Amino acid sequence: MTALPAAPALTPPARRFRRLRRDYFGSPASALMTLASLGILLGLGWWLMNWALLDATFSAAATQAECVQAGGACWSVIAARWRVILFGIYPYDEQWRPSFACAVVAGIILLSCLPRMWSFRRLALTWGLGAAGFYILMRGGILGLSVVNEQQWGGLPLTLFIFVATAVAGMPLAILLALMRRSELPVVARVTGWIIDTIRSLPLLSILFTFAIVVPFMLPGFLIGEKLYRVICGAALFFAAYQAEIIRGGFQGIPRGQDEAAKALGLPYWQRMSRVLLPQAFRLALPATINQFVVAFMETSLVVVVGFIDLLAAGNTAYKTGEWKFAYVEVYAFVAAIYFLFVFGLSRYGAYLEARMNAGHRKE
Amino acid sequence: MDLTAPAIAIRDLNKFYGTFHALCGLSLTVRKGERVVVCGPSGSGKSTMIRCINQLEEHDSGEIRVFGTLLDDNLASIDAVRREVGMVFQHFNLFPHMTVLENCTLAPILVRKTPRAVAEALALKFLEKVRILDQASKFPGQLSGGQQQRVAIARALCMQPEILLFDEPTSALDPEMIAEVLDVMVTLANEGMTMICVTHEMGFARKVADRVIFMDKGEIVEEAAPAAFFEAPRNERTRLFLSEVLAH
Ligand SMILES: Nc1ncnc2c1ncn2[C@@H]1O[C@H](COP(=O)(O)OP(=O)(O)OP(=O)(O)O)[C@@H](O)[C@H]1O
Ligand SMILES: [Mg+2]
């Protein structure tokens, strides 16, 4: 087998090598561009490695002078203040509770991503139990846990909670709004259109303010509820208005014959929607939907304006006390890494879903 | 549903699109077990007429009865009629996100409340009948046009309808696939299925139709048994149309 004839057939590595040479060194200009880009990348990488690792200080006990002396990143601030960044003003001795709560949220998100979990009963069970577990851990008041009310929640668990609650409440509302906007009854369609356009023409900031501060004056006492939940209602409404339009866009990509075929088979409205049209609308709207989730995750940081210490705000407080004032870059890098982890995971999952949905479908 | 009444009784049907008069006082009666082929030039209202029968289009005036059930504003009677009237479309309209088998079992399970196992057995029986049993677990996008259309026929049959409507079932197909679909339709016709079939396949009309109907400008211009229709058309427009279609 080793004595291959000198045939033109190339082994796969050789073929790859030839492609690389053609794509990146095909002409003097492209060779120059390739070398220049490589140089810049290597230089940046080298500098980053020095800053973040080789010259960095890691000890929680290090002082500003020692950090400056070493010349690199001062990760000491993270070592010293990570609990403030992650948990905000949650009581220090109880911080094992938000740690578990974060794990619960991460766990139910990961579980719901598995295709074998996609039945209404399984999802409802997971989310019901997960929400109850999260609430009991965070809020306490039973099982011997001390009460920590919502005003003291902060950091990562708060960010996760606001995001998940916004999406879970906003998505069904979005579906409802999209269906109402497509209604055959002109009055329903038009009024829904107005509602969606009105919400979309308001900045999220003003909606959050309204729900946090103005709404309590307008509602009877027993309806006011905790500020956190009002803020989530506002965010969910905002999310739903945008997501409804995304779903409507998906509907418009479905050929008319699909609804007609479903009608001809005798399927009533709700079954035509839930079995035939919505699954296809979501498939078409998937990229935009993932995008909307990413935006919603980023926008959780706006709750700081109504007095909540989310992950980003907690990061801000972590370095603003006395001795760590100089180390804000490191704190922001740390917070950014956490956001990146979530959002990157989300977009990879979106890509996986798209590939999975396209597997059985050949486009004509 | 009264199975002794005429399968379809249309009287003085009018349909407007805006100001355009698409169906002009059309009347038609189809007996149970009868096979009717409808032909006519493009835009003559053939699709509109058969789509009124299962109310994919609402008519403006006139009366449509399916086995005695009057189609009016009563949604329950529309549902009842749709359960008994299957339809096969020009562009198949299979549900692309479901397998062939799921396409066939969806409506029986949801609408007829057939237990899943029974619905699947029934679906497999009809898939075998349209000679496509081996593709049951594929998605529609993985099938050829002719195969998709045969699945669409099986899907309609799974509701065990009394009447089947076909709207140009072969005109989106490549020539070599037309025969396989027509074969299935001939088999159904020979088994006594009540059919209304819009098609320009004159060979099919000659072979199975009890009656051929020629439509033009929203009216029925001529109707006759196939022999009379093809050998001795009475109307000038029919003759012109036939000379064009048969010239190919
Ligand atoms: N949704 C609609 N809006 C406006 N006009 C319509 C609509 N659907 C059909 N028409 C018009 O009604 C007339 C009859 O249409 P129909 O589809 O019934 O014709 P057809 O006989 O089936 O023609 P073809 O052989 O091309 O399918 C045509 O002139 C068409 O332009
Ligand atoms: Mg037509």
Side-chain angles (χ1 to χ4, degrees):
Chain A
M1 286 301 282
T2 47
L4 280 174
L10 291 170
T11 56
R15 204 181 305 145
R16 206 170 306 145
F17 180 73
R18 217 173 65 172
R19 264 210 67 182
L20 277 180
R21 206 172 53 184
R22 194 188 60 207
D23 289 353
Y24 294 98
F25 294 93
S27 70
S30 98
L32 201 69
M33 281 299 287
T34 304
L35 289 177
S37 314
L38 268 181
I40 293 174
L41 278 180
L42 281 177
L44 270 178
W46 177 246
W47 177 83
L48 197 66
M49 193 173 70
N50 273 328
W51 179 79
L53 295 175
L54 300 182
D55 298 339
T57 322
F58 293 93
S59 150
T63 63
Q64 178 171 9
E66 285 167 323
C67 277
V68 173
Q69 172 83 41
C74 187
W75 298 120
S76 314
V77 61
I78 310 298
R81 308 284 286 162
W82 65 274
R83 290 178 67 157
V84 177
I85 301 177
L86 287 184
F87 304 124
I89 52 172
Y90 204 90
Y92 194 82
D93 294 331
E94 300 285 336
Q95 287 184 356
W96 61 272
R97 281 160 55 183
S99 316
F100 274 108
C102 284
V104 167
V105 176
I108 52 179
I109 291 178
L110 287 178
L111 268 182
S112 338
C113 287
L114 300 176
R116 70 161 59 161
M117 292 293 296
W118 293 346
S119 79
F120 180 77
R121 282 206 5 234
R122 285 182 191 176
L123 284 179
L125 195 70
T126 318
W127 283 87
L129 287 177
F134 180 91
Y135 186 76
I136 291 171
L137 276 167
M138 290 296 288
R139 178 78 210 267
I142 57 167
L143 304 174
L145 298 171
S146 60
V147 175
V148 179
N149 64 50
E150 285 84 350
Q151 283 297 314
Q152 288 174 282
W153 296 8
L156 185 59
L158 183 68
T159 291
L160 285 181
F161 178 66
I162 293 175
F163 168 66
V164 170
T166 301
V168 168
M171 190 53 97
L173 189 59
I175 294 174
L176 198 69
L177 286 174
L179 293 182
M180 282 165 64
R181 185 151 198 187
R182 294 183 76 250
S183 166
E184 283 171 12
L185 312 174
V187 180
V188 176
R190 186 136 345 134
V191 170
T192 313
W194 284 338
I195 294 176
I196 291 176
D197 289 343
T198 307
I199 298 173
R200 289 199 307 164
S201 59
L202 295 170
L204 177 56
L205 219 52
S206 67
I207 293 183
L208 294 183
F209 262 121
T210 309
F211 276 77
I213 293 154
V214 183
V215 165
F217 293 113
M218 308 191 311
L219 289 182
F222 68 97
L223 265 181
I224 292 179
E226 188 58 46
K227 182 165 83 175
L228 178 59
Y229 304 118
R230 291 200 311 272
V231 166
I232 287 174
C233 283
L237 206 60
F238 190 76
F239 176 87
Y242 280 85
Q243 182 60 27
E245 288 296 284
I246 291 173
I247 297 173
R248 192 168 71 101
F251 269 113
Q252 284 173 342
I254 304 174
R256 246 186 58 184
Q258 290 291 310
D259 193 34
E260 289 178 351
K263 274 183 182 165
L265 285 167
L267 295 173
Y269 177 83
W270 285 110
Q271 288 173 349
R272 291 204 304 275
M273 292 302 141
S274 63
R275 300 307 187 94
V276 177
L277 297 184
L278 272 173
Q280 296 189 59
F282 266 99
R283 191 173 123 225
L284 293 168
L286 186 69
T289 302
I290 295 289
N291 196 41
Q292 187 60 28
F293 273 108
V294 169
V295 171
F297 190 73
M298 300 302 186
E299 283 173 347
T300 55
S301 56
L302 288 179
V303 296
V304 68
V305 301
V306 288
F308 287 105
I309 314 286
D310 72 301
L311 182 59
L312 184 60
N316 273 327
T317 54
Y319 76 80
K320 275 189 178 140
T321 52
E323 75 256 50
W324 296 113
K325 275 211 169 87
F326 69 97
Y328 53 89
V329 173
E330 288 81 354
V331 170
Y332 284 136
F334 181 69
V335 170
I338 297 177
Y339 275 98
F340 176 82
L341 210 67
F342 274 94
V343 172
F344 190 70
L346 201 58
S347 57
R348 292 321 304 157
Y349 182 63
Y352 157 77
L353 275 188
E354 253 176 87
R356 184 191 146 87
M357 286 171 165
N358 286 334
H361 308 293
R362 193 181 58 190
K363 285 257 180 264
E364 282 86 343
Chain B
M1 289 286 155
D2 168 15
L3 293 186
T4 59
I8 296 167
I10 300 176
R11 239 186 42 214
D12 200 21
L13 185 65
N14 282 289
K15 165 79 188 168
F16 292 85
Y17 290 110
T19 56
F20 178 74
H21 203 169
L23 295 177
C24 318
L26 183 146
S27 296
L28 173 69
T29 305
V30 177
R31 282 174 287 109
K32 185 168 157 54
E34 200 177 7
R35 286 137 307 189
V36 175
V37 165
V38 180
C39 59
S42 180
S44 55
K46 309 179 293 293
S47 300
T48 308
M49 192 261 292
I50 69 167
R51 288 159 58 88
C52 281
I53 296 172
N54 62 358
Q55 288 291 289
L56 292 184
E57 302 286 354
E58 269 174 55
H59 55 286
D60 293 301
S61 70
E63 195 182 274
I64 306 176
R65 285 178 190 274
V66 177
F67 287 115
T69 304
L70 179 68
L71 283 168
D72 50 16
D73 294 336
N74 183 353
L75 293 179
S77 58
I78 295 180
D79 284 342
V81 165
R82 283 179 181 165
R83 279 197 293 275
E84 300 308 328
V85 179
M87 186 159 193
V88 176
F89 299 86
Q90 181 175 1
H91 295 288
F92 332 135
N93 298 349
L94 294 176
F95 305 133
H97 57 299
M98 297 180 191
T99 64
V100 165
L101 188 65
E102 288 165 346
N103 263 281
C104 292
T105 55
L106 181 74
I109 291 175
L110 293 181
V111 180
R112 289 241 190 258
K113 315 279 181 236
T114 314
R116 176 174 296 275
V118 179
E120 282 180 357
L122 194 68
L124 292 176
K125 185 184 116 188
F126 284 121
L127 286 171
E128 182 167 22
K129 179 173 195 145
V130 301
R131 292 187 289 282
I132 205 155
L133 190 56
D134 47 331
Q135 317 279 353
S137 58
K138 285 195 181 169
F139 285 93
Q142 297 166 317
L143 305 182
S144 75
Q147 290 172 323
Q148 289 191 51
Q149 193 60 298
R150 285 182 284 147
V151 172
I153 295 174
R155 177 177 71 176
L157 289 174
C158 283
M159 280 295 282
Q160 301 186 288
E162 293 291 337
I163 303 170
L164 266 186
L165 308 175
F166 293 83
D167 191 358
E168 307 205 27
T170 56
S171 49
L173 296 176
D174 292 338
E176 72 269 21
M177 294 172 185
I178 292 179
E180 66 189 46
V181 172
L182 287 180
D183 275 354
V184 170
M185 291 168 59
V186 170
T187 312
L188 288 177
N190 291 339
E191 288 171 0
M193 173 66 80
T194 311
M195 294 164 68
I196 299 189
C197 188
V198 176
T199 183
H200 291 160
E201 293 295 331
M202 292 305 149
F204 172 79
R206 254 185 236 270
K207 193 141 91 197
V208 305
D210 297 308
R211 198 158 29 128
V212 183
I213 288 177
F214 175 71
M215 283 182 69
D216 192 19
K217 301 203 173 75
E219 291 172 323
I220 293 181
V221 174
E222 180 152 359
E223 54 178 305
F229 184 85
F230 291 111
E231 311 316 331
R234 287 181 308 253
N235 191 291
E236 185 52 40
R237 281 187 274 176
T238 318
R239 253 173 287 180
L240 188 66
F241 175 77
L242 282 179
S243 67
E244 276 169 10
V245 173
L246 297 177
H248 291 292

